[in-house]
Amino acid sequence: MHRLFVGLRPPPPIRALLRSVMDGVAGARWQSDDQLHLTLRFIGDVDRRTAEDIAVSLGNIRAPVPQLSIAGVGQFEKQGRTVALWAGVMPHDALAALHRKIDYAMVRLGLPPEGRAYLPHITLARLPRSAGASPDIAAFLAREAGLASTPFGLPHLILFESALMSDGARYDSIGRWPLG
């Protein structure tokens, strides 16, 4: 089985900007440079034949290159505790349209539609259960609220395979298609 997702990879200067703010939260598992991406559609576990069909389908998607800027930070919570810290991106329109195209293509292959609302972001850190309502989290969110970048393009649609390891996930690019 192959655990797949479709994403976009920020250029090196944007990844460097994001890495420069990754600090100050006790227990946070900060993403490495190789892990920094913007997910467009999580697919999950599929067999080899389905993975090949997904690759063909992604190669047929046509969309303009999204032009984005980093816009602040935020958190995802689950049952009242912070589970991840992320950097926001703006504007959302082009990404939402690309997300819909990919979701539609995956549904046409027989995969279930994306079940959750799409919020474009780049995950910066994952937090353990022990983080609770740490004052470090609130301080990070306040300190980096104004995080911003110059506009940048994301010119390639990438099919990633995710391998869950004891020290976090490893993401390997297994397919790449130009946008624009």
Side-chain angles (χ1 to χ4, degrees), residues 26-103:
R29 286 191 334 262
W30 299 102
Q31 300 290 89
S32 68
D33 184 77
D34 289 341
Q35 293 172 312
L36 292 173
H37 68 277
L38 190 151
T39 300
L40 287 166
R41 171 63 154 79
F42 180 73
I43 296 168
D45 292 324
V46 297
D47 60 32
R48 182 183 180 98
R49 181 180 177 127
T50 303
E52 291 169 353
D53 290 344
I54 289 167
V56 169
S57 184
L58 291 174
N60 291 323
I61 290 180
R62 301 292 173 255
V65 173
Q67 296 294 318
L68 308 173
S69 295
I70 298 296
V73 294
Q75 64 185 330
F76 286 128
E77 293 183 330
K78 189 175 193 178
Q79 299 175 341
R81 70 174 186 86
T82 301
V83 295
L85 299 171
W86 49 262
V89 294
M90 292 298 282
H92 290 182
D93 295 345
L95 293 173
L98 187 52
H99 166 77
R100 284 189 301 274
K101 282 184 179 189
I102 294 167
D103 192 45

